[in-house]
Amino acid sequence: MEVNSLTAQRIREIRDSKKYAAKYVASALDMSLSAYSKMENGETQITIEKLHLVAQALNVGISTLLPHQLSSHQMVNSNNEDHSKFDGTKGKDIYSDSRIVEELTEMLKRRGS
């Protein structure tokens, strides 16, 4: 399974766990429900920008949306609290999220060439 499909699957898992309707998340992203459903089903590519907006709508860090295989390190904040689960708590390690975005950007650049 490719990264986009795995990420889409992860987004759906998190949305379901939070009991958010797809319509709610689509609205938060200023997308039609149809377009959001295609993104969540892996039928359209998820851009870094869209990934960031989804993370905000679901109240999680970007790294939480990524398949676990992409990150070999566990997400922790300065209090060493585990944020690898999608519990929506504050204080996530922003450095880790930035690092993940950098890794994804590089991966997408390599894939495009």
Side-chain angles (χ1 to χ4, degrees):
M1 209 178 255
E2 72 172 84
V3 173
N4 191 70
S5 296
L6 292 170
T7 302
Q9 180 181 358
R10 185 90 172 121
I11 290 169
R12 175 143 193 182
E13 289 171 357
I14 295 168
R15 181 182 61 75
D16 286 345
S17 77
K18 291 178 169 278
K19 301 190 182 341
Y20 289 169
K23 186 175 182 177
Y24 164 78
V25 180
S27 176
L29 298 174
D30 197 28
M31 296 175 76
S32 69
L33 179 56
S34 175
Y36 177 77
S37 293
K38 286 180 182 180
M39 182 186 72
E40 195 176 82
N41 290 324
E43 296 172 26
T44 60
Q45 290 295 317
I46 302 171
T47 64
I48 298 294
E49 294 82 11
K50 194 63 72 179
L51 192 65
H52 177 72
L53 293 173
V54 170
Q56 287 180 328
L58 296 175
N59 194 31
V60 296
I62 291 173
S63 58
T64 304
L65 299 177
L66 301 176
H68 294 296
Q69 303 92 300
L70 290 181
S71 178
S72 59
H73 58 280
Q74 187 177 37
M75 300 295 114
V76 294
N77 68 10
S78 59
N79 297 324
N80 289 327
E81 296 174 86
D82 182 1
H83 289 284
S84 59
K85 300 229 184 299
F86 36 88
D87 59 2
T89 57
K90 301 292 182 192
K92 288 174 272 311
D93 186 351
I94 293 170
Y95 171 77
S96 295
D97 282 351
S98 298
R99 177 101 171 108
I100 295 295
V101 169
E102 289 173 16
E103 290 173 12
L104 276 174
T105 302
E106 287 302 312
M107 181 179 64
L108 291 171
K109 284 179 185 175
R110 285 192 303 272
R111 192 171 85 180
S113 34

